[in-house]
Amino acid sequence: MLKVDLGRLRRERRVGVDEEVAPEDPLWGGIPLRLRGPVRLNVQAQQAAADVVVRGNVSGEVLLECRRCLAQVVVAFDEPVSALYRPGLEPREAAQQEVYPLPVGARELDLGSMVREHVLLALPEYVLCGQACRGLCPSCGANLNETACACPPAAAEDAWAPLRKLKRD
């Protein structure tokens, strides 16, 4: 339950959230993410005038595909989290100010969308199973890390060949 009780936060001025989000949680629905285990959220929410500041970290492991050979690679992440929730803003205004909207009159602050966003931003765009990964053969698709390919070597293209065909006037 990634929620902060705003009444408790007003009384205590600081509330900790130490939760795990299971891989099958609806929070991850609609995104191509294969979590290897639960995502751990450890943050402190603090009242700052009318705003709420959330700081801490999010960590976990995800399965991604190697960019060259498509093998499964386990990628661990442990990222700092910093978010500001501001009351009285429409979602569009909040996006322009790069803050999260805090619904007026809300009793709880849902951290779900913030956690989802931070996890997605923490993941690398491209992953390699190793620096020496040889990838797949472009002709037959064989994994060159596991087997030698029987395809003939590609003929080197001569970039100047089209220009040599032109006649000089």
Side-chain angles (χ1 to χ4, degrees):
M1 184 150 179
L2 301 174
K3 299 196 187 254
V4 174
D5 182 348
L6 293 175
R8 180 177 167 212
L9 181 63
R10 284 185 196 96
R11 286 189 308 274
E12 298 177 13
R13 308 297 288 169
R14 185 178 299 231
V15 173
V17 177
D18 189 9
E19 297 282 335
E20 288 186 348
V21 183
E24 59 275 355
D25 192 283
L27 178 66
W28 312 119
I31 55 174
L33 191 64
R34 292 175 297 185
L35 293 168
R36 190 157 184 242
V39 171
R40 180 121 186 136
L41 176 70
N42 186 352
V43 295
Q44 291 283 322
Q46 183 176 352
Q47 191 78 44
D51 298 342
V52 175
V53 178
V54 178
R55 289 192 183 111
N57 74 321
V58 62
S59 60
E61 291 182 335
V62 66
L63 287 171
L64 299 174
E65 290 181 342
C66 173
R67 180 180 179 143
R68 295 180 187 159
C69 70
L70 304 179
Q72 296 294 309
V73 179
V74 176
V75 176
F77 60 91
D78 188 3
E79 290 292 317
V81 171
S82 181
L84 176 66
Y85 288 84
R86 182 161 288 154
L89 296 178
E90 295 295 322
R92 186 174 183 189
E93 290 175 300
Q96 288 174 344
Q97 294 182 26
E98 296 182 1
V99 299
Y100 293 91
L102 181 62
V104 176
R107 295 176 186 224
E108 289 183 328
L109 175 60
D110 186 2
L111 302 175
S113 62
M114 184 268 302
V115 170
R116 178 180 162 126
E117 182 178 313
H118 275 79
V119 167
L120 289 173
L121 291 173
L123 300 178
E125 189 172 356
Y126 302 110
V127 178
L128 294 177
C129 62
Q131 287 295 15
C133 179
R134 296 177 57 211
L136 302 175
C137 172
S139 299
C140 69
N143 187 340
L144 300 176
N145 297 316
E146 298 171 358
T147 183
C149 178
C151 296
E157 290 186 28
D158 183 9
W160 297 102
L163 292 175
R164 285 192 190 101
K165 291 180 183 177
L166 294 174
K167 292 185 179 180
R168 275 193 151 166
D169 291 335

